[in-house]
């Protein structure tokens, strides 16, 4: 199964770095957008397994992107890219509903490891849900 990752950042160099780094993950397709508006349009056309977004966009645009992403998939992991290294920044990222954050500039291996972890966690949650559904169906057919 191919994992689809949407990276949203205004800096072309970050988009290129993320795309290049993610080519190391097998069966991963990367989409990019330079702003939340373009990302929303992409989300309306594509199913995405992970959303990576820079925190430098205006808060209302970021919230709208989160809303659309969560509306389409309530369990989509969101990885925030931030320039700020502080406890407050980490708390703010989590309050926005992100699964994790990574500070820029970042080491490609750290980014890759975080993305791999988030995609694997999502895959396991979906597998668990599927198994639960199968158990419910098999028990309801037995009774």
């Amino acid at each position: 199964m191919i994992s689809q990752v949407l990276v949203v950042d205004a800096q072309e160099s970050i988009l290129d770095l993320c795309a290049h780094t993610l080519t190391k993950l097998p069966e991963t397709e990367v989409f990019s957008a330079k702003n939340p508006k373009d990302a929303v349009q992409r989300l309306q056309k594509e199913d995405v397994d992970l959303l990576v977004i820079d925190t430098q966009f205006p808060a209302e645009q970021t919230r709208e992107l989160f809303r659309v992403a969560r509306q389409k998939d309530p369990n989509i992991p969101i990885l925030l890219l931030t320039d700020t290294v502080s406890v407050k920044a980490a708390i703010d990222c989590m309050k926005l509903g992100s699964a994790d954050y990574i500070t820029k500039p970042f080491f490609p291996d750290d980014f890759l490891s975080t993305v791999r972890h988030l995609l694997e966690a999502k895959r396991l949650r979906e597998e668990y849900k599927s198994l639960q559904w199968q158990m419910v169906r098999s028990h309801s057919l037995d009774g």
Side-chain angles (χ1 to χ4, degrees), residues 104-119:
K104 295 192 297 185
F106 54 83
F107 291 105
D109 287 344
D110 292 343
F111 176 69
L112 189 63
S113 175
T114 302
V115 167
R116 184 180 287 125
H117 168 76
L118 292 173
L119 289 173

Side-chain angles (χ1 to χ4, degrees), residues 130-140:
S130 175
L131 291 171
Q132 278 185 313
W133 178 245
Q134 289 174 14
M135 297 244 334
V136 167
R137 284 189 15 211
S138 69
H139 283 30
S140 65

